[in-house]
Amino acid sequence: MANVNRQRQRMVDIQIARRGIRAESVLDAMRAVPREHFVAPELAEFAYEDSPLPIGEEQTISQPSVVAAMIEAAEVGANDRMLEVGAGSGYVAALLGHIARQGRGRVFAVERHPSLAQSARRHLQDLGFGDVTVLTGDGTRGWPEEAPFDVILVSAGGPEVPKALMDQLAIGGRMVIPVGARRDQRLVKVVRRGESEFEREERDRVSFVPLIGAQGWADDGTRSADSPDFGAA
């Protein structure tokens, strides 16, 4: 256990902090949440390499440095109401949950694969994050019953920013989402400034699994019929 803890601290120091992540809340969360808990036992030895790892259903747990960059870009605060789309095995939701513990924040997550949603709930419960709520469903539609959200993080790449997610941002809310081709995207930060006013900023190039759903990609690789077709948020 001590060796795993040292590996985690080393990952944060070398792969996260040295790459420019400065938000203490993000660094603290990365140091506290055991990434090995969210992968299969046979992959635990690779948990603190800065790379994605398979978690089943052709999905991955995201690269730690990219996760840290997304959380920092979203300016996540301890009192924020947060939504993660594409919960996978629950790692990012746990990081957000750790930040929320420092205040009155709430974390909600959506995962379309029932088996992954179930494992995410179990992992989160095991680590004491039972207050993080995981829904099985189409993440491109968000979670309207729990909106508005101060923060939305999308852990899969869509052809554009889903309108449903934009509508569920609170005024002043921030969303970070990979946008582009199915395996080649740019991180996009969207800030809601008014009822119909949004700012959009493109950031680093990334490669996420496709965002499948009514306002994302279809299973056959085409753009879904309900997916928005616009060039700017």
Side-chain angles (χ1 to χ4, degrees):
M1 178 64 72
N3 184 51
V4 171
N5 288 336
R6 283 196 298 271
Q7 291 177 12
R8 189 182 315 128
Q9 306 311 314
R10 186 173 185 274
M11 178 198 73
V12 175
D13 291 342
I14 295 175
Q15 304 292 354
I16 310 299
R18 287 189 188 176
R19 294 191 179 185
I21 301 300
R22 294 288 178 262
E24 284 298 328
S25 60
V26 178
L27 298 175
D28 288 346
M30 301 290 287
R31 290 189 180 105
V33 175
R35 190 172 185 248
E36 74 276 7
H37 190 77
F38 296 90
V39 299
E42 61 271 20
L43 295 175
E45 64 180 295
F46 307 111
Y48 295 108
E49 295 181 3
D50 192 35
S51 61
L53 294 171
I55 55 173
E57 302 289 359
E58 299 183 349
Q59 304 299 298
T60 61
I61 183 173
S62 299
Q63 183 176 345
S65 62
V66 174
V67 170
M70 291 177 71
I71 297 175
E72 184 173 65
E75 304 171 61
V76 174
N79 295 318
D80 285 341
R81 194 171 183 85
M82 315 170 204
L83 174 67
E84 188 206 2
V85 173
S89 60
Y91 178 60
V92 174
L95 294 170
L96 297 177
H98 180 84
I99 295 173
R101 278 181 174 174
Q102 315 310 311
R104 301 183 305 277
R106 288 292 311 277
V107 180
F108 302 87
V110 184
E111 171 54 52
R112 75 185 185 96
H113 293 286
S115 62
L116 292 180
Q118 182 176 2
S119 67
R121 294 185 192 102
R122 184 177 67 252
H123 294 151
L124 290 162
Q125 186 72 41
D126 289 347
L127 292 176
F129 293 105
D131 53 345
V132 175
T133 309
V134 180
L135 173 73
T136 304
D138 179 357
T140 69
R141 296 190 183 278
W143 198 331
E145 295 82 3
E146 299 293 348
F149 299 102
D150 303 295
V151 168
I152 299 177
L153 292 183
V154 184
S155 297
E160 249 304 340
V161 183
K163 185 177 185 303
L165 299 184
M166 294 172 62
D167 290 342
Q168 290 171 40
L169 273 179
I171 304 299
R174 294 83 60 201
M175 173 170 28
V176 178
I177 174 175
V179 174
R182 283 176 67 91
R183 291 286 181 175
D184 181 20
Q185 307 104 19
R186 289 274 186 185
L187 282 183
V188 172
K189 179 178 180 179
V190 176
V191 181
R192 188 169 196 173
R193 296 301 186 189
E195 192 63 32
S196 58
E197 183 183 353
F198 297 85
E199 290 180 3
R200 173 173 173 144
E201 175 190 353
E202 291 197 358
R203 294 183 167 232
D204 297 335
R205 175 164 283 170
V206 291
S207 180
F208 277 76
V209 297
L211 178 64
I212 307 295
Q215 295 191 23
W217 296 105
D219 281 312
D220 64 1
T222 61
R223 182 191 293 256
S224 294
D226 293 342
S227 181
D229 186 13
F230 50 81

